[in-house]
Amino acid sequence: MSRAYRPDFGGLVRRIAVAEDKKRSPSNPIFRSPFLQKMMESLPCGVVLIRHGKVTLNPIAEKIVGYKTAEFTTLDDWFEKIYKKRAAEMRAIHTEHRQRGFPQRVTFPLLRKDGVLRHVNFSGFVDHGVEVWILFDESDSVETHRLLEETKERT
């Protein structure tokens, strides 16, 4: 089953962030301009920013995970709330992917706040100490694929 095309929003965000950063003094943290803030809120995908250990979600990311930004004080909160008993394991996977510069998109199951299991595709990058994740909820595709395989096995 072929995967749906997913535009590279991470590359777009990175290019705009670098252009915006060049307009400001080096002491100004990246991703603080009103334009970038508006863009992050308007992208048609989930966006998670991690800056100085603080986690910020755009509205689509909040919908995907079922939590509001205010419910995460730290990145550790993210892993504890989203992955529960698997928090340490998923944090280690995240650390390894981050150290390698998030070389590829990966899909992981996560538990939404209401307990519903979702399959979320993550891609990311780190620039100027700011980590950005792009999220797509692949749950419907995963379920459709599972049902097709189940039907195929029965025939």
Side-chain angles (χ1 to χ4, degrees), residues 42-125:
S42 302
L43 282 172
C45 60
V47 179
V48 178
L49 295 176
I50 299 100
R51 179 179 46 219
H52 306 298
K54 173 113 175 72
V55 178
T56 305
L57 288 71
N58 77 344
I60 294 177
E62 288 180 342
K63 183 178 177 187
I64 290 171
V65 301
Y67 290 92
K68 299 287 186 194
T69 292
E71 296 178 79
F72 298 107
T73 306
T74 65
L75 187 55
D76 286 333
D77 285 346
W78 167 274
F79 287 100
E80 289 167 12
K81 290 179 180 183
I82 299 293
Y83 295 106
K84 314 247 184 274
K85 293 178 183 176
R86 296 184 64 203
E89 172 192 356
M90 296 308 290
R91 181 68 190 249
I93 290 170
H94 162 263
T95 300
E96 186 224 332
H97 280 260
R98 187 181 196 278
Q99 288 172 343
R100 292 188 1 229
F102 297 107
Q104 62 194 27
R105 294 176 182 177
V106 292
T107 301
F108 290 113
L110 63 77
L111 278 178
R112 207 166 52 195
K113 185 178 181 177
D114 62 7
V116 173
L117 181 67
R118 306 304 294 171
H119 296 275
V120 178
N121 183 278
F122 291 84
S123 59
F125 66 93

Side-chain angles (χ1 to χ4, degrees), residues 2-17:
S2 67
R3 289 200 166 269
Y5 170 73
R6 294 288 186 216
D8 182 17
F9 289 115
L12 171 66
V13 172
R14 184 181 300 115
R15 285 190 299 276
I16 292 171

Side-chain angles (χ1 to χ4, degrees), residues 12-13 15-17 19-20 23-24 31-43:
L12 171 66
V13 172
R15 285 190 299 276
I16 292 171
E20 285 288 310
K23 294 179 187 176
R24 296 171 304 171
F31 295 115
R32 287 246 175 127
S33 78
F35 171 77
L36 283 173
Q37 187 67 36
K38 179 71 173 162
M39 183 187 70
M40 300 307 255
E41 292 171 1
S42 302
L43 282 172

